[in-house]
Amino acid sequence: MFKVADTPLDGKVPGGPIAQKWDKHKDNLKLVSPTNKRKYDVIVVGTGLAGGAAAASLGELGYNVKAFCFQDSPRRAHSIAAQGGINAAKNYPNDGDSIWRLFADTVKGGDWRAREGNVYRLAQLSANIIDQCVAQGVPFAREYGGLLGNRTFGGSLVSRTFYAKGQTGQQLLLGAYSSLMRQVGLGKVKMFPRREMVDLIVVDGVARGIVVRDMVTGKFETHTAHAVVLATGGYGNVFYLSTNAKGCNVTAAWRAHRRGAFFGNPCYTQIHPTCIPVSGDYQSKLTLMSESLRNDGRVWVPKKNGDHRSPEQIPEDERDYYLERRYPTYGNMVARDVASRAAKLECDQGRGVGESGLSVYLDFQKAIERDGEPAIRARYGNLFHMYEKITAENPYKVPMRIYPAVHYTMGGLWVDYNLQSSVPGLFVLGEANFSDHGANRLGASALMQGLADGYFIIPYTIGDHLAKNSSKLTKIGDDHPAVKQALADAEGRVRSILKINGSQSVDSIHRQLGTIMWDKCGMARNAAGLKQAQQEIRALRDVFWKDVRVLGSGDVLNQNLEQAGRVADFLEFAELMVIDALHREESCGGHFREEHQTDDNEAKRDDDKFSYAAAWQFTNVGDEPILNKEPLSFENVPFMTRSYK
Amino acid sequence: MAGRGMNLTLKIWRQTSPSAKGEFQTYRLSNVSPDMSFLEMLDVLNEQLIQQGEEPVAFDHDCREGICGMCSLMINGQAHGPDRETTTCQLHMRRFKDGDTIVIEPWRARAFPVLRDLVVDRSAFDRIISVGGFVSINAGNAQDANCLPVPKQNQEKAMDAAACIGCGACVASCKNASASLFVSAKVSQLALLPQGQPEAARRVVKMVAQMDKEGFGSCTNTYECEAACPAGISVSNIARMNREYLKATFLSEEGV
């Protein structure tokens, strides 16, 4: 199924005590002088929190930045949809928080499968992020004294989450976007919207550019630079239905993988516990209800199997608040993977509610009685409004119905401590990389990571690469063979998709892929199912290349063609995801192998065999990939069985 | 869902390229579930068109949860359709009746040229932001976030203004195609916060000038923008922008 590389992979985490690693490392990184910075071109792909922040910060430093996004404006990136909040170890509430605790919570939340050095740095930088965003004019929630407010998120016993109503991601993204647009106005960043990256240009083993398709004219363009930064988000849409935006895709990351960048831990996917359940087979996406709702909402199912009474008719003593019962310490605020599996278990055992039996209640009645409806409206008004729009039910009166859905992908392109991939000169930030969340991400940590990578890490580490390789990074022209080859490949691919003219729509093939992945590589996985999934993915890939129907031409705006390219890449990527899930013979975080669980259905890790990051190396489509192992050691937060009880 | 399906007639604007002459095409769609979102209804139409060998209708969309601002559409003459404070992606078919005819058009404004079918170019908004919709703070310069208290009511008003999703419904619904609501939301957000003060005068003058340059019309206080805004942005922001503009042009010592 795969080959294993002979030598272990080095994450290049600097030595020394954990609390000093980053500061020491920064002092050792090479610098590029202010006058030389303007001689360097940097490409940033993706303009979400990570990409937007990176493009802005690199522009501020004086680099010539070209920023790309597939949306019509950089402000649309899907970071905008993050609702609940962003963590920071500010300890403003005086409740015992610290950098150390945020670090330890995150390592534990990730089920001891993240790199300690990265996680500590993330916790350290978290405070700077809040400062930066407030200075940009991000209107975080405040108390009457004018100081910042906090709330609690899952997997933590302190209140360290900063928020802007239920629109934190929107406000943070608009902050990064405003900084980015300022640099556009100043001429340091050139913005290329409605461009989709379709290939990476690698010259002598170093990333030197990208191929993009102008989605309005259909023309392919090549852009060369001294370094390339990918911040292109996660691959949750491999499941078809997810909380991701419709446009989210794996193409940029997968194309980079095909050009040599290792893919880290693709099987680590996060299933978020509180999403609005599926309502019909036309469903195009799933909508998240923020984790912050679990601060005031209580999760329950009827105690009796198949109890079809409406929720208000079920008396208190016939309800099972199963999270509060099973996890008294954390209650409704257990980590996401734990809450999701618990919901699945209740539904699988026949206590699920709603027409399909595939949902559980999230009930605000107690909180409304305690704090009054206006207080709940002030905290979650926009979320309740959204819920009512979608379901036509009023959550102030009737409990919400929720079910887990694919939300975030911890896996991504493998990067070292400098956020550099296995292709020198290619840096990967935010959800697109694999680095900080291990096997499960805690709530309010994605925003933190994206902004830490973009504002505070890449500005330092990219300079080191440029300064060390300045003599080798000579100018690459459009006539360079590697540039011409990448362009020809991209053009050929579009031609071959348009030529098929089969009978099945792109969307219908994508839905079939989603069903395979959700059923066999979703919340629970087992060896037999995964092996079958691999066969089914291969068969479906053949169907795509023989029988997909994409109409129109490549010379105009053609959304169907865009989608076809993305689905083609998902069909290659999905197989790697399944191989990774199959090879990891343990349960950890979001990766739950049914063969490896405790008597009370908790995940059972195998630290002796699997305490490593799996970094997969591409060989060829359908051929065995090569597994590179980066050993993970935990000197500061020693291995424990994760427990929220 | 059986039996609840609706039969609809859709009149949709089709235009193959920015320079092509567009026209309405009529399509029939049967068995539409009332629980579908408006965009899912268009997905179903597109699947049907692909099966018939016709090119699907192009429309902008992304998050489908009402926040990214990518979706648009004039639905029966109303930006984002009939529901208040609701984007097209959050509009559900239960709002329509069996047998309805629905007219679907792109945003229409000189500053938003049509690219194809229902897709328009809204990059003018980005250019307006790029001349002043920011606080000039480089990464790494910020002081501790709690050094500067902000009165809760100002923060809340700033948040209400900052909730703008940049979709362009205000422009599309305005008889003058004015972008005043969009521009004023950003001006207000930053005018209400201490962080925005040092550049307040420059900001409002430059953003208003860019708005005019892009070809947006003037505000004549019709307030259609507020009625159409899916993010509930209030026209009181336009009043605040006008005050800021007056302050900047008469009182500012910057000579802007």
Side-chain angles (χ1 to χ4, degrees):
Chain A
M1 192 175 62
F2 60 90
K3 291 177 214 135
V4 181
D6 299 334
T7 47
L9 193 57
D10 183 3
K12 299 190 188 133
V13 179
I18 188 118
Q20 289 155 30
K21 281 181 197 291
W22 176 236
D23 290 339
K24 279 252 167 68
H25 186 65
K26 274 194 295 183
D27 290 343
N28 292 330
L29 289 172
K30 284 203 146 198
L31 297 173
V32 179
S33 80
T35 48
N36 281 339
K37 283 196 181 96
R38 68 175 77 106
K39 295 179 191 157
Y40 287 115
D41 304 324
V42 180
I43 284 170
V44 179
V45 188
T47 58
L49 289 179
S57 308
L58 295 172
E60 288 163 10
L61 286 173
Y63 294 110
N64 305 310
V65 180
K66 286 182 174 179
F68 298 82
C69 67
F70 69 75
Q71 297 91 344
D72 71 331
S73 162
R75 65 179 291 154
R76 315 276 187 220
H78 196 53
S79 307
I80 205 157
Q83 298 168 352
I86 175 165
N87 285 331
K90 281 283 197 186
N91 194 31
Y92 286 154
N94 197 29
D95 59 356
D97 198 15
S98 63
I99 291 172
W100 181 269
R101 279 192 198 270
L102 175 53
F103 157 64
D105 282 352
T106 308
V107 170
K108 173 185 172 183
D111 215 355
W112 284 271
R113 290 293 176 264
R115 202 189 272 152
E116 268 195 339
N118 283 55
V119 179
Y120 194 90
R121 173 174 66 184
L122 179 63
Q124 265 177 308
L125 293 173
S126 65
N128 304 72
I129 295 169
I130 301 302
D131 299 341
Q132 176 67 22
C133 296
V134 166
Q136 286 170 339
V138 170
F140 283 122
R142 288 173 185 269
E143 307 293 347
Y144 279 106
L147 303 180
L148 294 161
N150 287 106
R151 58 185 173 201
T152 314
F153 252 60
S156 120
L157 296 173
V158 294
S159 294
R160 63 161 73 102
T161 306
F162 294 79
Y163 62 102
K165 282 198 176 167
Q167 291 144 263
T168 317
Q170 180 200 26
Q171 293 309 313
L172 296 175
L173 182 67
L174 293 182
Y177 162 73
S178 71
S179 287
L180 171 62
M181 293 319 290
R182 175 176 158 239
Q183 293 306 314
V184 170
L186 293 170
K188 284 315 290 180
V189 177
K190 189 157 166 42
M191 189 64 228
F192 295 84
R194 292 199 195 267
R195 300 293 202 290
E196 178 148 38
M197 170 175 158
V198 291
D199 211 344
L200 179 74
I201 297 170
V202 180
V203 177
D204 300 330
V206 180
R208 292 302 305 272
I210 58 173
V211 183
V212 296
R213 181 170 176 270
D214 179 326
M215 292 155 76
V216 177
T217 64
K219 287 201 173 62
F220 285 93
E221 301 166 356
T222 53
H223 296 268
T224 54
H226 296 94
V228 178
V229 177
L230 291 193
T232 50
Y235 47 84
N237 277 345
V238 69
F239 291 94
Y240 188 81
L241 285 180
S242 83
T243 67
N244 288 2
K246 290 295 285 177
C248 294
N249 65 80
V250 78
T251 289
W254 186 252
R255 293 281 129 193
H257 175 64
R258 292 183 51 132
R259 296 279 178 194
F262 296 172
F263 213 108
N265 301 328
C267 80
Y268 291 164
T269 49
Q270 176 161 81
I271 317 286
H272 195 292
T274 53
C275 299
I276 300 176
V278 175
S279 73
D281 54 13
Y282 49 79
Q283 188 106 20
S284 62
K285 78 154 267 155
L286 295 169
T287 301
L288 174 77
M289 287 285 106
S290 166
E291 176 161 315
S292 61
L293 293 169
R294 285 194 274 146
N295 271 301
D296 287 301
R298 301 176 71 199
V299 177
W300 65 275
V301 291
K303 280 186 180 163
K304 251 192 347 229
N305 279 27
D307 188 339
H308 293 305
R309 287 177 293 174
S310 63
E312 74 280 359
Q313 289 172 330
I314 301 179
E316 196 62 23
D317 62 348
E318 292 180 41
R319 300 176 175 190
D320 181 11
Y321 295 91
Y322 58 87
L323 289 177
E324 296 171 26
R325 171 174 57 78
R326 286 177 62 187
Y327 308 100
T329 306
Y330 284 73
N332 292 296
M333 298 309 283
V334 293
R336 289 179 173 173
D337 55 332
V338 176
S340 290
R341 274 198 297 278
K344 180 178 191 294
L345 189 70
E346 296 299 326
C347 294
D348 288 352
Q349 294 180 351
R351 290 181 293 278
V353 297
E355 239 175 90
S356 62
L358 283 177
S359 59
V360 300
Y361 291 124
L362 179 63
D363 195 336
F364 295 89
Q365 199 189 353
K366 259 270 163 53
I368 290 172
E369 281 166 20
R370 187 185 63 222
D371 301 338
E373 198 177 303
I376 298 300
R377 192 180 297 276
R379 269 171 236 163
Y380 313 114
N382 68 321
L383 300 171
F384 278 44
H385 176 77
M386 202 193 313
Y387 183 86
E388 190 169 356
K389 277 285 154 207
I390 294 171
T391 63
E393 286 176 357
N394 177 356
Y396 294 101
K397 306 278 177 235
V398 193
M400 284 185 180
R401 285 189 303 107
I402 51 155
Y403 195 67
V406 175
H407 180 54
Y408 184 89
T409 54
M410 284 74 69
L413 291 178
W414 181 88
V415 287
D416 65 14
Y417 189 73
N418 285 335
L419 306 182
Q420 186 163 229
S421 72
S422 53
V423 177
L426 176 69
F427 294 81
V428 190
L429 317 185
E431 189 178 353
N433 75 26
F434 91 114
S435 67
D436 295 1
H437 306 296
N440 172 58
R441 180 176 65 76
L442 289 181
S445 291
L447 304 183
M448 178 169 69
Q449 187 220 334
L451 291 179
D453 289 0
Y455 285 134
F456 299 115
I457 300 175
I458 192 71
Y460 292 90
T461 58
I462 206 166
D464 188 64
H465 166 74
L466 296 171
K468 279 186 182 145
N469 298 291
S470 57
S471 59
K472 279 182 272 174
L473 295 171
T474 49
K475 184 123 183 94
I476 303 282
D478 284 344
D479 54 349
H480 191 284
V483 177
K484 281 161 80 177
Q485 183 62 49
L487 180 64
D489 289 354
E491 287 171 343
R493 222 167 116 77
V494 160
R495 270 198 305 274
S496 42
I497 288 175
L498 285 170
K499 218 167 48 196
I500 301 167
N501 200 19
S503 68
Q504 301 194 36
S505 73
V506 178
D507 213 47
S508 68
I509 293 175
H510 194 179
R511 275 181 199 273
Q512 292 172 57
L513 175 65
T515 305
I516 298 170
M517 298 307 281
W518 179 248
D519 289 348
K520 303 192 176 80
C521 197
M523 254 192 294
R525 301 149 177 193
N526 61 56
L530 289 166
K531 280 180 192 151
Q532 203 187 335
Q534 188 179 13
Q535 297 313 314
E536 289 172 6
I537 293 163
R538 288 180 170 188
L540 190 60
R541 203 159 57 216
D542 289 344
V543 167
F544 179 94
W545 286 106
K546 284 199 190 97
D547 197 29
V548 76
R549 170 180 282 194
V550 180
L551 302 169
S553 86
D555 307 331
V556 287
L557 196 158
N558 186 341
Q559 292 174 325
N560 212 217
L561 178 64
E562 294 157 19
Q563 198 196 356
R566 295 169 192 166
V567 171
D569 287 331
F570 274 133
L571 284 163
E572 292 178 11
F573 166 74
E575 187 174 350
L576 183 67
M577 197 169 145
V578 164
I579 290 172
D580 187 40
L582 193 54
H583 114 280
R584 192 165 279 279
E585 286 278 355
E586 64 163 353
S587 292
C588 57
H591 170 64
F592 191 75
R593 284 287 299 268
E594 286 167 344
E595 303 94 324
H596 306 284
Q597 54 180 314
T598 64
D599 294 340
D600 49 357
N601 309 106
E602 303 288 352
K604 209 157 115 190
R605 286 197 325 258
D606 184 343
D607 295 330
D608 293 335
K609 282 199 200 136
F610 290 100
S611 181
Y612 62 80
W616 296 93
Q617 190 175 344
F618 183 77
T619 49
N620 226 326
V621 179
D623 283 358
E624 293 180 339
I626 300 166
L627 172 62
N628 294 268
K629 295 180 183 179
E630 181 200 339
L632 297 172
S633 62
F634 294 86
E635 287 143 24
N636 297 280
V637 187
F639 285 122
M640 281 193 304
T641 299
R642 196 160 67 121
S643 167
Y644 291 103
K645 287 192 173 167
Chain B
M1 253 38 92
R4 289 206 293 153
M6 298 182 280
N7 296 316
L8 301 172
T9 303
L10 306 170
K11 294 193 166 181
I12 301 180
W13 185 259
R14 302 300 306 260
Q15 180 174 336
T16 49
S17 72
S19 53
K21 192 170 175 327
E23 59 176 359
F24 281 104
Q25 295 273 349
T26 304
Y27 304 96
R28 299 201 196 283
L29 197 58
S30 52
N31 205 24
V32 173
S33 160
D35 291 328
M36 276 180 193
S37 72
F38 198 84
L39 297 184
E40 284 167 346
M41 181 274 291
L42 289 180
D43 291 342
V44 172
L45 171 72
N46 277 344
E47 284 295 292
Q48 186 177 306
L49 291 178
I50 291 167
Q51 288 314 319
Q52 292 164 359
E54 281 185 63
E55 280 198 61
V57 180
F59 60 93
D60 265 333
H61 65 98
D62 202 23
C63 80
R64 297 203 177 192
E65 45 190 275
I67 194 78
C68 75
M70 187 111 175
C71 68
S72 53
L73 307 187
M74 286 303 259
I75 300 167
N76 292 336
Q78 284 181 289
H80 291 298
D83 284 357
R84 281 193 83 97
E85 294 194 22
T86 302
T87 54
T88 295
C89 66
Q90 295 291 284
L91 176 67
H92 280 66
M93 296 313 291
R94 60 180 80 95
R95 197 64 176 69
F96 298 88
K97 291 190 312 289
D98 186 33
D100 275 358
T101 296
I102 307 176
V103 180
I104 308 170
E105 297 170 78
W107 286 168
R108 295 199 190 276
R110 186 167 49 162
F112 289 167
V114 173
L115 297 175
R116 182 169 199 184
D117 297 342
L118 304 171
V119 176
V120 300
D121 177 357
R122 288 170 284 193
S123 54
F125 273 9
D126 289 329
R127 289 189 292 273
I128 294 173
I129 297 293
S130 74
V131 299
F134 47 76
V135 173
S136 293
I137 170 93
N138 286 359
N141 280 329
Q143 57 176 349
D144 184 85
N146 262 349
C147 281
L148 200 53
V150 178
K152 188 175 168 69
Q153 64 274 17
N154 288 9
Q155 170 262 316
E156 284 174 353
K157 278 188 208 154
M159 176 65 220
D160 289 343
C164 169
I165 60 173
C167 64
C170 47
V171 174
S173 60
C174 176
K175 62 181 179 179
N176 305 328
S178 168
S180 289
L181 194 67
F182 169 78
V183 177
S184 71
K186 188 49 73 182
V187 167
S188 276
Q189 177 203 341
L190 297 175
L192 283 159
L193 296 171
Q195 290 84 0
Q197 296 313 310
E199 297 169 280
R202 280 172 69 80
R203 174 179 306 118
V204 67
V205 170
K206 290 186 119 181
M207 289 179 76
V208 168
Q210 186 68 32
M211 168 171 77
D212 292 344
K213 195 171 143 195
E214 295 289 349
F216 292 104
S218 299
C219 173
T220 48
N221 298 308
T222 317
Y223 301 163
E224 191 63 31
C225 52
E226 182 184 87
C229 177
I233 306 297
S234 158
V235 290
S236 63
N237 290 303
I238 299 181
R240 188 175 291 105
M241 174 173 77
N242 291 339
R243 280 203 300 279
E244 289 290 317
Y245 190 81
L246 279 175
K247 252 186 353 194
T249 45
F250 286 118
L251 301 176
S252 169
E253 290 174 7
E254 266 193 80
V256 279

